[in-house]
Amino acid sequence: MTDRTRPGTTNPLAKGHGATKRGATEPVRLRPSGPRAGGGTRTAGRLAALGRAELTLLVRNRTALFMALLMPVAMLWLIRLTVSGSRAAGTGTSATETAMPGGIGVVLVLVVYANLVPAYVARREELVLKRLRTGEAKDLEILAGTALPSVSVALAQCALLVGAGTLILDVTAPKQPELLLAGVLLGSLLLVALAAVSSAVTRTVESAQLTVLPLMAVSFFGSGLFVPPDVMPERLSDVMRLMPLTPVVDLVRYGWLGGAGADEVLYALVRAVAWTALSVFAVRRWFRWEPRR
């Protein structure tokens, strides 16, 4: 899960002008886009350039590439084994139908969160983030550009899961695709923000392997990825629904399998938006742009 390039190669992000002396924990600035013509085009160009550079680093890093492309497939197989008796436990769905929404959650955690924590730490320790802040790119553009390849891979894998589940595994087509899409997009944004927050308490790229474990463990076993909340004891289920990724998985499940009332959907949306807003606030408050001393 480390984020290092191979010997003899250069980091395409490690170029830039000299960095100014700015605080390591200065909040993310939200500079308004002025009325100048072409502002949106320039923003898109900067994001594309940052995304291409990050994609180059992702392809060079075999460990990160394995985590992004192959690990979710293995985890999905493990989920299916875990929920093989779910119909008897009272969910009313087959093992495959139960596994697929959880598989989307696994993709988001492994591809977005687990890859971005070491990426943000590596760019910070190499002074890449500090150099980028001296140019035209805004803070949110820097964070978004770094996350762009991981999020794109995750979205592609989620689409592949939906297509494979519907066409190959004989799972019912999503009954409310707008809810499924909302869950995936909110989950991507939430996990990007949580990755940025986690990087603030991570000293080195190597230690990122430990930093990501708490959220991954809570998500896998408490947010319905492996064990659906419906099969948990009522009190435990109520507690687990307060975890960060649980409303995202709920939205994906409601969108794919249906059967949720308007109040359940609204409750999941409110929790997902609340966790996302809280995470964005934490990024603005604690994200570090310079190496930890």
Side-chain angles (χ1 to χ4, degrees):
M1 204 178 300
T2 57
D3 196 345
R4 292 179 174 175
T5 55
R6 293 177 297 180
T9 61
T10 59
N11 186 335
L13 290 175
K15 300 178 181 179
H17 304 292
T20 58
K21 296 181 179 180
R22 306 186 66 171
T25 58
E26 181 180 343
V28 176
R29 63 181 185 271
L30 293 176
R31 294 185 298 181
S33 56
R36 295 176 299 175
T41 303
R42 286 193 292 270
T43 296
R46 290 191 292 265
L47 285 175
L50 288 170
R52 284 194 299 270
E54 286 293 337
L55 181 60
T56 300
L57 295 178
L58 179 62
V59 172
R60 289 177 181 176
N61 189 332
R62 295 179 180 178
T63 301
L65 196 61
F66 170 79
M67 290 293 296
L69 298 180
L70 298 181
M71 184 60 74
V73 178
M75 293 300 294
L76 180 60
W77 175 76
L78 181 59
I79 290 176
R80 194 182 188 286
L81 291 182
T82 303
V83 301
S84 58
S86 59
R87 183 187 295 274
T91 63
T93 59
S94 67
T96 304
E97 289 175 332
T98 304
M100 298 308 288
I104 288 181
V106 168
V107 167
L108 294 178
V109 171
L110 292 180
V111 179
V112 178
Y113 179 74
N115 272 333
L116 278 183
V117 175
Y120 283 135
V121 174
R123 307 300 171 262
R124 182 192 70 208
E125 296 301 311
E126 295 169 356
L127 299 179
V128 172
L129 298 180
K130 189 175 181 180
R131 292 190 184 101
L132 287 174
R133 295 186 89 200
T134 66
E136 295 183 358
K138 301 179 178 65
D139 288 353
L140 291 183
E141 293 174 355
I142 297 172
L143 296 178
T146 304
L148 190 58
S150 294
V151 172
S152 299
V153 171
L155 294 179
Q157 288 201 355
C158 289
L160 184 61
L161 278 177
V162 174
T166 303
L167 300 176
I168 300 176
L169 300 179
D170 199 27
V171 177
T172 179
K175 296 182 179 179
Q176 293 182 279
E178 68 280 2
L179 288 182
L180 193 154
L181 181 60
V184 171
L185 294 180
L186 280 172
S188 300
L189 178 58
L190 171 62
L191 289 171
V192 168
L194 288 175
V197 175
S198 298
S199 72
V201 296
T202 305
R203 189 171 295 275
T204 65
V205 175
E206 290 76 13
S207 62
Q209 301 178 54
L210 299 177
T211 305
V212 301
L213 289 180
L215 181 66
M216 290 177 64
V218 168
S219 300
F220 287 164
F221 299 104
S223 295
L225 275 65
F226 280 83
V227 181
D230 295 338
V231 305
M232 299 179 182
E234 184 177 356
R235 291 185 178 180
L236 179 60
S237 176
D238 292 339
V239 173
M240 291 300 101
R241 290 190 186 279
L242 298 178
M243 298 296 102
L245 202 63
T246 306
V248 171
V249 179
D250 285 344
L251 287 172
V252 172
R253 183 170 287 110
Y254 297 157
W256 200 327
L257 304 178
D263 55 340
E264 293 176 306
V265 172
L266 180 60
Y267 182 45
L269 281 171
V270 169
R271 285 180 292 141
V273 171
W275 269 113
T276 303
L278 181 63
S279 301
V280 170
F281 170 80
V283 173
R284 291 172 58 89
R285 179 66 179 83
W286 290 296
F287 185 76
R288 302 181 66 93
W289 296 93
E290 299 181 18
R292 295 175 58 91
R293 303 301 181 187

